[in-house]
Amino acid sequence: MSPAGARTGAWPASVAVVSVCLLLAGCGFTPLYGDAGGSPALGRIAVSAQDDRLGYRLREQLEDALGWDRGASPLYRLETVAEQSRRPLGRRIDDTATRYELTVRAVWTLTPAAGGPPLTGTETVTTTYAAADQPYAAIAAQQDGEDRAAAELARLIRLDVMRALSAS
């Protein structure tokens, strides 16, 4: 078969795919990440968290994930409370841990600024990090674990908030 013949066989298939996509475009599909007509923008959600390192990192990650517009007045207030627990994994011969498992649980409440019933949810993330012998390395590893947990929590909370706002 010649290269020109191979190309002509693919042409009807691509026309069919484009036709199906155009037909489905009119089915009332609303993208999860797009602004629907009456739904508020995620950038108009003000975030608050507890006053510690984990709370700061979670608030920072949520503001980035939601694309908070500091110039606009908030339509919602998102309050988060995070608590963490650390569990040693593996033991060396001197009975010290070789790794740690960090579990962070965050409870969030989304309250409309105009009043109304709040929406709530809970997310839990577990991450691990290596235990180092040097004090600075141990602190850096623990903080890296907290940062990764905060980033994952922000992603999960953002998805929860988007689902809750699209359902209401």
Side-chain angles (χ1 to χ4, degrees):
M1 178 182 273
S2 71
R7 279 184 265 156
T8 58
W11 187 77
S14 63
V15 169
V17 169
V18 170
S19 300
V20 169
C21 289
L22 289 174
L23 287 173
L24 289 176
C27 291
F29 172 75
T30 303
L32 182 61
Y33 293 104
D35 276 343
S39 72
L42 291 176
R44 307 266 314 264
I45 298 175
V47 180
S48 66
Q50 72 252 22
D51 192 22
D52 61 6
R53 184 181 189 286
L54 180 61
Y56 172 79
R57 295 297 293 157
L58 181 57
R59 181 178 54 82
E60 186 178 64
Q61 291 287 336
L62 277 168
E63 286 175 353
D64 287 347
L66 296 172
W68 185 36
D69 180 9
R70 294 179 189 270
S73 62
L75 297 175
Y76 289 90
R77 179 140 198 92
L78 179 63
E79 296 178 28
T80 60
V81 177
E83 57 187 34
Q84 63 179 319
S85 62
R86 190 174 74 146
R87 186 173 69 105
L89 300 174
R91 299 278 180 188
R92 295 185 183 111
I93 197 161
D94 63 351
D95 202 30
T96 58
T98 57
R99 294 191 65 74
Y100 285 96
E101 178 182 77
L102 178 68
T103 302
V104 181
R105 181 176 175 264
V107 178
W108 60 267
T109 304
L110 184 69
T111 308
L119 305 169
T120 61
T122 303
E123 287 296 340
T124 303
V125 170
T126 301
T127 186
T128 61
Y129 60 92
D133 292 331
Q134 298 83 15
Y136 178 77
I139 291 169
Q142 181 177 356
Q143 289 178 350
D144 178 64
E146 290 174 356
D147 292 347
R148 287 183 287 124
E152 182 64 13
L153 277 173
R155 186 186 72 79
L156 293 172
I157 291 171
R158 178 179 182 257
L159 288 173
D160 284 351
V161 166
M162 288 173 28
R163 279 188 216 111
L165 290 177
S166 69
S168 63

